[in-house]
Structure formats: structure tokens, C-alpha cells
Tab-separated table of all heavy atoms in Angstrom:
chain	number	residue	atom	x	y	z
J	1	ILE	N	9.312	-5.979	-33.645
J	1	ILE	CA	8.345	-4.995	-33.029
J	1	ILE	C	6.954	-5.292	-33.414
J	1	ILE	O	6.108	-4.396	-33.375
J	1	ILE	CB	8.733	-3.592	-33.468
J	1	ILE	CG1	8.640	-3.393	-34.973
J	1	ILE	CG2	10.105	-3.197	-32.884
J	1	ILE	CD1	8.913	-1.982	-35.413
J	2	ASP	N	6.670	-6.509	-33.857
J	2	ASP	CA	5.269	-6.914	-34.277
J	2	ASP	C	4.377	-6.883	-33.106
J	2	ASP	O	4.545	-7.740	-32.211
J	2	ASP	CB	5.251	-8.229	-34.994
J	2	ASP	CG	3.970	-8.602	-35.606
J	2	ASP	OD1	3.086	-7.778	-35.467
J	2	ASP	OD2	3.764	-9.682	-36.047
J	3	PRO	N	3.340	-6.034	-33.016
J	3	PRO	CA	2.496	-6.016	-31.873
J	3	PRO	C	1.741	-7.414	-31.604
J	3	PRO	O	1.417	-7.688	-30.546
J	3	PRO	CB	1.457	-4.900	-32.225
J	3	PRO	CG	2.148	-4.065	-33.144
J	3	PRO	CD	2.938	-4.981	-34.014
J	4	GLN	N	1.427	-8.083	-32.736
J	4	GLN	CA	0.835	-9.438	-32.624
J	4	GLN	C	1.698	-10.388	-31.775
J	4	GLN	O	1.164	-11.265	-31.061
J	4	GLN	CB	0.512	-10.058	-33.915
J	4	GLN	CG	-0.444	-9.198	-34.767
J	4	GLN	CD	-1.894	-9.199	-34.140
J	4	GLN	OE1	-2.179	-10.049	-33.319
J	4	GLN	NE2	-2.717	-8.319	-34.555
J	5	LYS	N	2.964	-10.238	-31.752
J	5	LYS	CA	3.884	-11.137	-31.053
J	5	LYS	C	4.181	-10.429	-29.564
J	5	LYS	O	4.201	-11.129	-28.619
J	5	LYS	CB	5.256	-11.322	-31.733
J	5	LYS	CG	5.010	-12.002	-33.071
J	5	LYS	CD	6.371	-12.214	-33.754
J	5	LYS	CE	6.218	-12.931	-35.058
J	5	LYS	NZ	7.464	-13.121	-35.801
J	6	ILE	N	4.290	-9.175	-29.557
J	6	ILE	CA	4.607	-8.491	-28.246
J	6	ILE	C	3.418	-8.520	-27.349
J	6	ILE	O	3.522	-8.933	-26.181
J	6	ILE	CB	5.064	-7.084	-28.515
J	6	ILE	CG1	6.333	-6.951	-29.343
J	6	ILE	CG2	5.223	-6.332	-27.191
J	6	ILE	CD1	6.741	-5.583	-29.781
J	7	PHE	N	2.225	-8.248	-27.905
J	7	PHE	CA	0.974	-8.198	-27.029
J	7	PHE	C	0.230	-9.492	-27.351
J	7	PHE	O	-0.981	-9.393	-27.552
J	7	PHE	CB	0.077	-6.938	-27.404
J	7	PHE	CG	0.903	-5.663	-27.176
J	7	PHE	CD1	1.340	-4.919	-28.264
J	7	PHE	CD2	1.248	-5.199	-25.929
J	7	PHE	CE1	2.009	-3.775	-28.118
J	7	PHE	CE2	1.918	-4.058	-25.749
J	7	PHE	CZ	2.304	-3.313	-26.798
J	8	ASN	N	0.853	-10.558	-27.301
J	8	ASN	CA	0.141	-11.840	-27.432
J	8	ASN	C	-0.776	-12.131	-26.312
J	8	ASN	O	-0.311	-12.009	-25.149
J	8	ASN	CB	1.173	-12.964	-27.580
J	8	ASN	CG	0.622	-14.325	-28.065
J	8	ASN	OD1	-0.637	-14.522	-27.856
J	8	ASN	ND2	1.361	-15.135	-28.640
J	9	PRO	N	-2.083	-12.517	-26.466
J	9	PRO	CA	-2.942	-12.734	-25.353
J	9	PRO	C	-2.427	-13.823	-24.414
J	9	PRO	O	-2.763	-13.789	-23.240
J	9	PRO	CB	-4.224	-13.151	-26.117
J	9	PRO	CG	-4.140	-12.506	-27.379
J	9	PRO	CD	-2.740	-12.512	-27.771
J	10	GLU	N	-1.736	-14.790	-24.892
J	10	GLU	CA	-1.185	-15.807	-24.113
J	10	GLU	C	-0.280	-15.279	-23.030
J	10	GLU	O	-0.180	-15.817	-21.890
J	10	GLU	CB	-0.511	-16.903	-24.869
J	10	GLU	CG	-1.382	-17.661	-25.839
J	10	GLU	CD	-0.615	-18.732	-26.588
J	10	GLU	OE1	0.623	-18.849	-26.346
J	10	GLU	OE2	-1.261	-19.391	-27.413
J	11	ILE	N	0.507	-14.216	-23.357
J	11	ILE	CA	1.422	-13.604	-22.400
J	11	ILE	C	0.541	-13.016	-21.299
J	11	ILE	O	0.957	-13.202	-20.108
J	11	ILE	CB	2.327	-12.502	-23.098
J	11	ILE	CG1	3.177	-13.201	-24.145
J	11	ILE	CG2	3.151	-11.845	-22.111
J	11	ILE	CD1	4.000	-12.208	-25.012
J	12	PHE	N	-0.454	-12.271	-21.634
J	12	PHE	CA	-1.260	-11.678	-20.555
J	12	PHE	C	-1.985	-12.726	-19.759
J	12	PHE	O	-2.246	-12.592	-18.555
J	12	PHE	CB	-2.273	-10.702	-21.234
J	12	PHE	CG	-1.610	-9.325	-21.664
J	12	PHE	CD1	-0.971	-9.224	-22.871
J	12	PHE	CD2	-1.550	-8.264	-20.795
J	12	PHE	CE1	-0.398	-8.081	-23.261
J	12	PHE	CE2	-0.936	-7.133	-21.167
J	12	PHE	CZ	-0.355	-7.004	-22.411
J	13	ASN	N	-2.443	-13.831	-20.363
J	13	ASN	CA	-3.080	-14.836	-19.625
J	13	ASN	C	-2.079	-15.479	-18.686
J	13	ASN	O	-2.470	-15.797	-17.457
J	13	ASN	CB	-3.653	-15.954	-20.612
J	13	ASN	CG	-4.805	-15.414	-21.456
J	13	ASN	OD1	-5.531	-14.565	-21.036
J	13	ASN	ND2	-4.987	-15.935	-22.585
J	14	ASN	N	-0.788	-15.681	-19.118
J	14	ASN	CA	0.169	-16.255	-18.190
J	14	ASN	C	0.370	-15.248	-17.047
J	14	ASN	O	0.557	-15.653	-15.858
J	14	ASN	CB	1.431	-16.534	-18.906
J	14	ASN	CG	1.274	-17.634	-19.921
J	14	ASN	OD1	0.431	-18.533	-19.793
J	14	ASN	ND2	2.080	-17.605	-21.046
J	15	LEU	N	0.373	-13.959	-17.416
J	15	LEU	CA	0.590	-12.942	-16.399
J	15	LEU	C	-0.521	-12.884	-15.385
J	15	LEU	O	-0.261	-12.859	-14.122
J	15	LEU	CB	0.723	-11.463	-17.014
J	15	LEU	CG	1.005	-10.357	-16.024
J	15	LEU	CD1	2.204	-10.525	-15.361
J	15	LEU	CD2	0.954	-9.014	-16.861
J	16	LEU	N	-1.736	-12.931	-15.862
J	16	LEU	CA	-2.874	-13.023	-14.900
J	16	LEU	C	-2.838	-14.337	-14.114
J	16	LEU	O	-3.177	-14.300	-12.867
J	16	LEU	CB	-4.187	-12.961	-15.683
J	16	LEU	CG	-4.477	-11.629	-16.416
J	16	LEU	CD1	-5.744	-11.658	-17.280
J	16	LEU	CD2	-4.638	-10.545	-15.360
J	17	SER	N	-2.507	-15.447	-14.754
J	17	SER	CA	-2.450	-16.633	-13.859
J	17	SER	C	-1.376	-16.592	-12.847
J	17	SER	O	-1.534	-17.060	-11.677
J	17	SER	CB	-2.197	-17.834	-14.814
J	17	SER	OG	-0.909	-17.727	-15.469
J	18	GLY	N	-0.268	-15.886	-13.236
J	18	GLY	CA	0.829	-15.686	-12.174
J	18	GLY	C	0.323	-14.778	-11.020
J	18	GLY	O	0.639	-15.029	-9.870
J	19	ILE	N	-0.469	-13.720	-11.339
J	19	ILE	CA	-0.938	-12.886	-10.323
J	19	ILE	C	-1.957	-13.620	-9.454
J	19	ILE	O	-1.906	-13.459	-8.189
J	19	ILE	CB	-1.701	-11.653	-10.985
J	19	ILE	CG1	-0.584	-10.779	-11.649
J	19	ILE	CG2	-2.397	-10.845	-9.883
J	19	ILE	CD1	-1.230	-9.621	-12.477
J	20	MET	N	-2.840	-14.508	-10.080
J	20	MET	CA	-3.660	-15.261	-9.256
J	20	MET	C	-2.931	-16.294	-8.371
J	20	MET	O	-3.372	-16.455	-7.166
J	20	MET	CB	-4.672	-16.028	-10.218
J	20	MET	CG	-5.631	-15.101	-10.909
J	20	MET	SD	-6.704	-14.162	-9.911
J	20	MET	CE	-7.597	-15.519	-9.125
J	21	ASP	N	-1.869	-16.847	-8.869
J	21	ASP	CA	-1.192	-17.792	-8.070
J	21	ASP	C	-0.505	-17.114	-6.882
J	21	ASP	O	-0.466	-17.617	-5.737
J	21	ASP	CB	-0.096	-18.496	-8.863
J	21	ASP	CG	-0.698	-19.475	-9.912
J	21	ASP	OD1	-1.801	-19.844	-9.772
J	21	ASP	OD2	-0.036	-19.723	-10.897
J	22	SER	N	-0.077	-15.870	-7.130
J	22	SER	CA	0.550	-15.055	-6.034
J	22	SER	C	-0.543	-14.681	-5.019
J	22	SER	O	-0.311	-14.784	-3.759
J	22	SER	CB	1.162	-13.805	-6.611
J	22	SER	OG	2.183	-14.097	-7.565
J	23	ALA	N	-1.701	-14.320	-5.406
J	23	ALA	CA	-2.857	-14.027	-4.510
J	23	ALA	C	-3.148	-15.264	-3.694
J	23	ALA	O	-3.430	-15.113	-2.486
J	23	ALA	CB	-3.958	-13.479	-5.265
J	24	LEU	N	-3.206	-16.439	-4.308
J	24	LEU	CA	-3.501	-17.638	-3.650
J	24	LEU	C	-2.409	-17.979	-2.588
J	24	LEU	O	-2.768	-18.411	-1.438
J	24	LEU	CB	-3.722	-18.848	-4.600
J	24	LEU	CG	-4.978	-18.738	-5.459
J	24	LEU	CD1	-4.896	-19.874	-6.452
J	24	LEU	CD2	-6.200	-18.788	-4.611
J	25	SER	N	-1.127	-17.784	-2.926
J	25	SER	CA	-0.088	-17.969	-2.009
J	25	SER	C	-0.164	-17.018	-0.798
J	25	SER	O	0.181	-17.453	0.236
J	25	SER	CB	1.293	-17.910	-2.751
J	25	SER	OG	1.452	-16.602	-3.162
J	26	ILE	N	-0.445	-15.789	-1.158
J	26	ILE	CA	-0.689	-14.824	-0.043
J	26	ILE	C	-1.821	-15.266	0.932
J	26	ILE	O	-1.689	-15.154	2.154
J	26	ILE	CB	-0.872	-13.368	-0.584
J	26	ILE	CG1	0.336	-12.931	-1.381
J	26	ILE	CG2	-1.284	-12.397	0.531
J	26	ILE	CD1	0.205	-11.614	-2.000
J	27	THR	N	-2.950	-15.717	0.314
J	27	THR	CA	-4.003	-16.208	1.139
J	27	THR	C	-3.639	-17.402	2.002
J	27	THR	O	-4.039	-17.564	3.120
J	27	THR	CB	-5.163	-16.511	0.206
J	27	THR	OG1	-5.483	-15.377	-0.572
J	27	THR	CG2	-6.405	-16.978	1.007
J	28	SER	N	-2.874	-18.274	1.325
J	28	SER	CA	-2.445	-19.476	2.018
J	28	SER	C	-1.493	-19.164	3.227
J	28	SER	O	-1.428	-19.885	4.188
J	28	SER	CB	-1.748	-20.543	1.156
J	28	SER	OG	-0.606	-19.926	0.597
J	29	SER	N	-0.758	-18.069	3.110
J	29	SER	CA	0.157	-17.705	4.177
J	29	SER	C	-0.400	-16.605	5.139
J	29	SER	O	0.271	-15.893	5.782
J	29	SER	CB	1.503	-17.051	3.562
J	29	SER	OG	1.144	-15.937	2.780
J	30	LEU	N	-1.767	-16.573	5.066
J	30	LEU	CA	-2.475	-15.566	5.921
J	30	LEU	C	-2.203	-15.856	7.389
J	30	LEU	O	-2.041	-14.872	8.141
J	30	LEU	CB	-3.952	-15.701	5.743
J	30	LEU	CG	-4.794	-14.696	6.417
J	30	LEU	CD1	-4.480	-13.248	5.912
J	30	LEU	CD2	-6.381	-14.944	6.117
J	31	TYR	N	-1.990	-17.124	7.804
J	31	TYR	CA	-1.653	-17.473	9.182
J	31	TYR	C	-0.401	-16.798	9.599
J	31	TYR	O	-0.204	-16.233	10.664
J	31	TYR	CB	-1.652	-18.937	9.346
J	31	TYR	CG	-1.092	-19.401	10.679
J	31	TYR	CD1	-1.799	-19.305	11.800
J	31	TYR	CD2	0.212	-19.857	10.810
J	31	TYR	CE1	-1.298	-19.734	13.053
J	31	TYR	CE2	0.733	-20.340	12.015
J	31	TYR	CZ	0.020	-20.160	13.104
J	31	TYR	OH	0.535	-20.604	14.292
J	32	ASN	N	0.664	-16.881	8.665
J	32	ASN	CA	1.938	-16.334	8.981
J	32	ASN	C	1.793	-14.815	9.209
J	32	ASN	O	2.446	-14.242	10.157
J	32	ASN	CB	2.957	-16.636	7.877
J	32	ASN	CG	3.301	-18.118	7.872
J	32	ASN	OD1	3.270	-18.806	8.891
J	32	ASN	ND2	3.819	-18.599	6.751
J	33	TRP	N	1.023	-14.132	8.333
J	33	TRP	CA	0.882	-12.689	8.445
J	33	TRP	C	0.157	-12.331	9.680
J	33	TRP	O	0.534	-11.274	10.342
J	33	TRP	CB	0.199	-12.177	7.172
J	33	TRP	CG	1.167	-12.093	6.015
J	33	TRP	CD1	1.069	-12.950	4.927
J	33	TRP	CD2	2.241	-11.232	5.814
J	33	TRP	NE1	2.042	-12.703	4.030
J	33	TRP	CE2	2.751	-11.633	4.517
J	33	TRP	CE3	2.756	-10.162	6.477
J	33	TRP	CZ2	3.900	-10.926	4.022
J	33	TRP	CZ3	3.823	-9.504	5.956
J	33	TRP	CH2	4.378	-9.805	4.765
J	34	ILE	N	-0.844	-13.081	10.020
J	34	ILE	CA	-1.533	-12.740	11.314
J	34	ILE	C	-0.702	-12.918	12.479
J	34	ILE	O	-0.647	-12.028	13.401
J	34	ILE	CB	-2.788	-13.677	11.445
J	34	ILE	CG1	-3.835	-13.359	10.413
J	34	ILE	CG2	-3.494	-13.481	12.859
J	34	ILE	CD1	-5.035	-14.241	10.330
J	35	MET	N	0.135	-14.024	12.574
J	35	MET	CA	1.014	-14.132	13.657
J	35	MET	C	2.146	-13.104	13.592
J	35	MET	O	2.515	-12.610	14.639
J	35	MET	CB	1.731	-15.513	13.577
J	35	MET	CG	0.756	-16.702	13.783
J	35	MET	SD	-0.007	-16.612	15.445
J	35	MET	CE	1.309	-16.611	16.499
J	36	ALA	N	2.555	-12.676	12.354
J	36	ALA	CA	3.514	-11.575	12.294
J	36	ALA	C	2.986	-10.314	12.806
J	36	ALA	O	3.734	-9.622	13.454
J	36	ALA	CB	3.892	-11.400	10.758
J	37	LEU	N	1.728	-9.990	12.626
J	37	LEU	CA	1.159	-8.671	13.170
J	37	LEU	C	1.113	-8.795	14.732
J	37	LEU	O	1.396	-7.833	15.367
J	37	LEU	CB	-0.274	-8.504	12.610
J	37	LEU	CG	-0.338	-8.134	11.138
J	37	LEU	CD1	-1.786	-8.224	10.657
J	37	LEU	CD2	0.195	-6.754	10.916
């Protein structure tokens, strides 16, 4: 239960990078969503 290990900044950095990758994938599939609409 050590907070230094649980709330490691590297974990949040990886989480933010994952969110950014998801946002980029959504942007790259914008054509599919436009055609879907």
C-alpha cells in the first residue's frame, strides 16, 4: 500500500500516453465515423 509505488508518475504518464494514442486513433478513423454518420 506504499503510495510511492501505487501513484508512481510513470503509471500516469503511461496512462496519458495511452489516452493520447486513443485520441490519435479516433482522429485517424475520422473518415469511418463520417461515413458512418
Side-chain angles (χ1 to χ4, degrees):
I1 60 176
D2 187 3
Q4 295 291 344
K5 296 180 180 179
I6 298 175
F7 303 108
N8 194 335
E10 294 182 359
I11 298 176
F12 284 88
N13 291 332
N14 294 332
L15 178 61
L16 290 176
S17 63
I19 294 174
M20 293 299 296
D21 293 339
S22 300
L24 291 175
S25 64
I26 292 174
T27 304
S28 62
S29 62
L30 186 61
Y31 169 78
N32 290 336
W33 286 105
I34 293 175
M35 293 303 300
L37 290 172

